[in-house]
Amino acid sequence: MNQSVTFLRNQLLIGCLFVAQQINAQPTAATGSSDRVRLNQIGFYPNAAKVAIIVDEQGGSAQPFQVTTPDGKKVLFAGMLSEPRKNAISGKMARTADFSALRTTGTYVVNVPGLGHSYPFTIKPSVHHDVAVGALKGFYYQRASTELPENYAGQWHRPAGHPDNRVLIHPSAASASRPAGTVISSPWGWYDAGDYNKYIVNSGISMGTLLSLYEDFPDYCKTLTTNIPESKNKLPDLLDESLWNLRWMMTMQDPADGGVYHKLTNAKFDGMEMPDKVKPTERYVVQKSVTAALDFAAVMAQSARVFKAYNRELPGLADSCKAAAVNAWKWAKQNPNALYNQDAMNKEFEPDVVTGTYGDRDASDEWIWAAAELYLTTKDDTYYTAVNLFPDDKTPLPSWPQVRTLAYYSLARLSDQLTPRGKQDMPKLKSHITQLADQFRQDVDKQAFQTPMGKTASDYIWGSSAVAANQGIALIQAYRLTNDETYLNAALANMDYLLGRNAVGYSFVTGFGSKTTMHPHHRPSVADGIEAPVPGLLSGGTNANAARQDKCAGYTTTIADEVYLDNDCSYASNEIAINWNAPLVYLANALEALQSKVGGSTAKK
Ligand code: 9MR
Ligand code: 9MR
């Protein structure tokens, strides 16, 4: 920020404080809390943009607002609401209360005379620290095959479930050395979501996202502690947590041929019971798939890099990961058409499997991701040239069926380690990433909620919270390439979205915020008899098609950015999942790591 801007800002602040005192001298009638004031319910960094959105505003006359202590007695800031802006999705009008100039540490509310005040929030450094740590701890609560003792899990402690030490080879996965019914051991890993199955494809992007957080911010990540059983060992907790799932993933590779089973699953979903209370039933590994093999190869290759530094603590692990990656890649080369098609599989084999499919009709992006990670780990150009890294000008937002851009992130991150062949493409690669981020950053100030999330109704899909978080990651990747803080400010705005500045007024992170998801489609949260849901889990969130998809009763609207039901029947808008939590972990922790760089109001460009 240049000096004259700082000066103007200080003048404005002094002016506001002066007005504030006057207002204080003539107190307005006290108003209660209002759900119409939407903001990040956790709070704001002192130097960052601070915005609340007043929804359902008809507009008209100029209207003041104040930021006060929660008791309303002390006014810290006074300003005017913006002119109304139209929400392009709902057509509803909203106004902005921008109090970015208030930088004084404390806990406050935004008060709109005649309307009411917001939930309390805090302005302080490291304001997202607890939610950043809590989201990572969320993975601990998802651990399969282990007890969660009270000293780590608090009131959510529970006995072990799903030991997975006697898992059957499903007929679809039979091979010469492992005929159908062969028993293998495949314990550990994280439960995928609200269900208790374990899926390689979804583990792939989740692991890639967490390991990328580590590779992007290693020093910061070493300071993160989550109070898990491994907290006292020499590894950062982020890596210990990732290892819990990595070790499971390794068991999913057939040592005979390098192929990787698509998932470890029941034939049917478990009931809504605790892990140790579900009806005993067979667990199977099913068909090897090319998407599973390639996502696995990418994760193993990246793990080989990350865990190399811990060879003393984990002797041989990095080498095993590298070998696993190479073997999975070789299998994929021999089986490029082995897509996972559950319906076709069920026609051919018994028993039918009806759990999550993570089926994907196009593996070209998985090829790109695996090739890039293998190339970065081995420095072998043949991986790089095995695929067309830039099949078109697109840079798709990462999601479980679309992992191309994860390759771009990794190549950009390690650009100083590329071979000459890879270096050639760097300018192109960088422009792919910045073009993606530019789409999200563009016109944020024209949006009703002042967030990149929700510029288009198509953002509101199953797991839309992860759309917001992954947009945030794309913006942070662009910031890392350019040092342009406007990318960072836009990423922070999506954090605000997730924590309450949105069209439904919920913080989608369990346990964080005043009005937050209480009834996620999450078996332990439903069955444990504890009122509070397991904390640190990201609800999938608003989903325009949820009513049709889960047929839960109680949806009251079809407006795309408002279809959300905090009810455990709503698995299409209120489940939790590891591939949604992982980008939350990335976004929250990256913002914490970069907090000294965020700044300015959203209006400043
Ligand atoms: O609990 C299941 C959840 O994890 C899945 O996302 C969802 C869609 O596949 O299915 C849920 O299971 C429901 C099943 O599909 C239909 N019968 C009721 C199950 C629990 O609500
Ligand atoms: O996240 C998945 C979403 O993209 C799909 O539309 C949906 C239906 O196939 O499935 C979601 O994944 C679920 C998985 O199939 C089973 N475990 C719970 C996942 C989150 O709902």
Side-chain angles (χ1 to χ4, degrees):
M1 191 184 319
N2 69 37
Q3 283 191 340
S4 62
V5 172
T6 312
F7 174 77
L8 274 175
R9 204 180 279 147
N10 290 342
Q11 289 298 102
L12 184 72
L13 185 57
I14 293 163
C16 288
L17 286 175
F18 178 67
V19 177
Q21 275 169 2
Q22 288 182 325
I23 291 167
N24 216 10
Q26 316 162 328
T28 48
T31 41
S33 71
S34 172
D35 189 43
R36 282 173 56 195
V37 185
R38 306 281 166 81
L39 45 58
N40 179 327
Q41 296 169 23
I42 298 298
F44 304 90
Y45 298 115
N47 52 328
K50 301 170 198 74
V51 163
I53 304 298
I54 322 304
V55 297
D56 293 336
E57 271 293 304
Q58 295 319 311
S61 57
Q63 216 184 317
F65 75 94
Q66 304 96 37
V67 180
T68 74
T69 48
D71 61 11
K73 288 198 175 130
K74 197 171 164 207
V75 179
L76 280 292
F77 183 93
M80 300 302 284
L81 299 183
S82 74
E83 286 299 303
R85 293 190 186 87
K86 193 179 203 164
N87 177 335
I89 296 173
S90 63
K92 296 181 181 175
M93 304 302 277
R95 298 175 132 192
T96 303
D98 188 334
F99 51 103
S100 301
L102 176 59
R103 294 167 171 224
T104 314
T105 299
T107 297
Y108 313 114
V109 295
V110 170
N111 185 54
V112 181
L115 187 70
H117 58 79
S118 71
Y119 300 111
F121 61 88
T122 300
I123 296 177
K124 66 172 185 184
S126 303
V127 71
H128 295 119
H129 173 266
D130 291 357
V131 67
V133 166
L136 177 55
K137 183 72 177 268
F139 283 86
Y140 172 72
Y141 289 110
Q142 289 295 99
R143 287 187 185 188
S145 321
T146 190
E147 177 197 3
L148 305 186
E150 191 168 1
N151 43 337
Y152 306 114
Q155 63 176 323
W156 300 279
H157 66 93
R158 60 165 170 81
H162 303 86
D164 288 342
N165 53 354
R166 283 187 49 82
V167 174
L168 302 182
I169 302 285
H170 188 263
S172 62
S175 59
S177 53
R178 289 180 167 181
T182 304
V183 175
I184 66 166
S185 181
S186 188
W188 319 304
W190 302 307
Y191 295 130
D192 183 56
D195 65 321
Y196 293 143
N197 304 300
K198 305 189 289 195
Y199 308 81
I200 287 290
V201 165
N202 210 37
S203 273
I205 186 170
S206 306
M207 291 287 286
T209 303
L210 294 179
L211 294 173
S212 293
L213 172 67
Y214 185 78
E215 284 196 300
D216 282 342
F217 305 98
D219 294 335
Y220 166 85
C221 287
K222 285 173 190 155
T223 69
L224 268 182
T225 55
T226 51
N227 183 32
I228 54 177
E230 302 81 5
S231 285
K232 291 202 176 69
N233 73 14
K234 294 236 166 70
L235 267 72
D237 285 4
L238 173 60
L239 295 188
D240 278 318
E241 195 55 62
S242 304
L243 260 181
W244 188 265
N245 201 59
L246 184 75
R247 296 229 188 257
W248 165 66
M249 289 183 77
M250 294 178 96
T251 69
M252 291 291 280
Q253 183 170 44
D254 182 350
D257 63 4
V260 180
Y261 304 110
H262 192 71
K263 58 175 170 174
L264 189 163
T265 184
N266 298 359
K268 296 190 182 107
F269 285 111
D270 284 310
M272 300 303 283
E273 310 279 358
M274 292 301 284
D276 61 309
K277 296 277 166 16
V278 294
K279 205 168 128 219
T281 181
E282 305 292 8
R283 301 270 276 178
Y284 298 95
V285 291
V286 304
Q287 189 201 305
K288 293 166 188 166
S289 76
V290 65
T291 49
L294 291 169
D295 287 343
F296 174 100
V299 169
M300 291 298 154
Q302 189 175 18
S303 297
R305 292 199 300 274
V306 167
F307 287 104
K308 207 170 169 187
Y310 295 94
N311 207 26
R312 194 180 306 165
E313 291 75 19
L314 302 163
L317 179 71
D319 286 344
S320 305
C321 290
K322 197 193 324 191
V326 169
N327 291 336
W329 172 269
K330 282 187 190 151
W331 184 92
K333 281 271 188 201
Q334 285 155 13
N335 299 273
N337 301 320
L339 292 168
Y340 185 73
N341 178 338
Q342 193 154 279
D343 290 337
M345 183 182 91
N346 285 338
K347 283 196 185 108
E348 208 175 328
F349 303 104
E350 297 289 327
D352 282 7
V353 175
V354 301
T355 55
T357 52
Y358 292 113
D360 189 342
R361 272 165 295 182
D362 180 359
S364 58
D365 52 301
E366 284 80 8
W367 281 108
I368 290 173
W369 185 33
E373 298 295 350
L374 271 157
Y375 162 72
L376 287 167
T377 299
T378 63
K379 308 282 183 321
D380 180 346
D381 278 347
T382 54
Y383 290 111
Y384 195 89
T385 52
V387 296
N388 179 2
L389 263 176
F390 305 100
D392 54 44
D393 287 339
K394 293 186 197 128
T395 314
L397 188 69
S399 62
W400 68 259
Q402 180 44 265
V403 291
R404 186 211 294 191
T405 301
L406 301 184
Y408 299 169
Y409 294 165
S410 286
L411 289 162
R413 167 185 318 126
L414 301 175
S415 59
D416 58 343
Q417 300 174 24
L418 304 184
T419 64
R421 179 64 194 85
K423 279 213 166 86
Q424 271 173 24
D425 287 333
M426 267 319 282
K428 196 162 160 188
L429 188 88
K430 287 186 176 172
S431 79
H432 267 261
I433 293 174
T434 51
Q435 273 170 28
L436 175 67
D438 287 346
Q439 288 169 39
F440 301 136
R441 183 184 56 172
Q442 195 186 358
D443 293 338
V444 166
D445 52 334
K446 299 198 176 81
Q447 307 306 310
F449 284 89
Q450 307 277 286
T451 59
M453 178 62 184
K455 283 206 289 182
T456 144
S458 60
D459 284 346
Y460 294 101
I461 56 171
W462 194 317
S464 69
S465 294
V467 172
N470 276 307
Q471 289 176 348
I473 295 177
L475 287 156
I476 286 168
Q477 295 294 336
Y479 167 76
R480 287 168 54 81
L481 291 174
T482 61
N483 280 321
D484 178 343
E485 70 170 30
T486 61
Y487 288 122
L488 211 49
N489 297 344
L492 182 59
N494 268 10
M495 191 70 194
D496 293 341
Y497 167 90
L498 291 172
L499 294 172
R501 200 169 97 210
N502 56 56
V504 297
Y506 275 86
S507 161
F508 292 118
V509 186
T510 58
F512 293 89
S514 301
K515 180 182 176 184
T516 173
T517 299
M518 288 298 289
H519 307 285
H521 183 88
H522 179 242
R523 283 165 171 73
S525 296
V526 171
D528 63 8
I530 298 163
E531 193 185 349
V534 171
L537 302 176
L538 181 62
S539 165
T542 311
N543 170 7
N545 294 313
R548 185 169 55 70
Q549 288 163 331
D550 60 38
K551 304 196 171 60
C552 184
Y555 292 102
T556 54
T557 174
T558 54
I559 297 171
D561 66 351
E562 296 183 9
V563 186
Y564 171 69
L565 204 57
D566 182 20
N567 186 316
D568 58 59
C569 72
S570 174
Y571 52 76
S573 88
N574 207 31
E575 190 163 353
I576 66 92
I578 57 173
N579 64 314
W580 307 336
N581 245 69
L584 172 66
V585 169
Y586 187 110
L587 178 61
N589 283 290
L591 289 170
E592 281 290 295
L594 296 169
Q595 59 177 293
S596 66
K597 315 278 195 237
V598 299
S601 86
T602 41
K604 186 174 79 76
K605 274 282 143 65

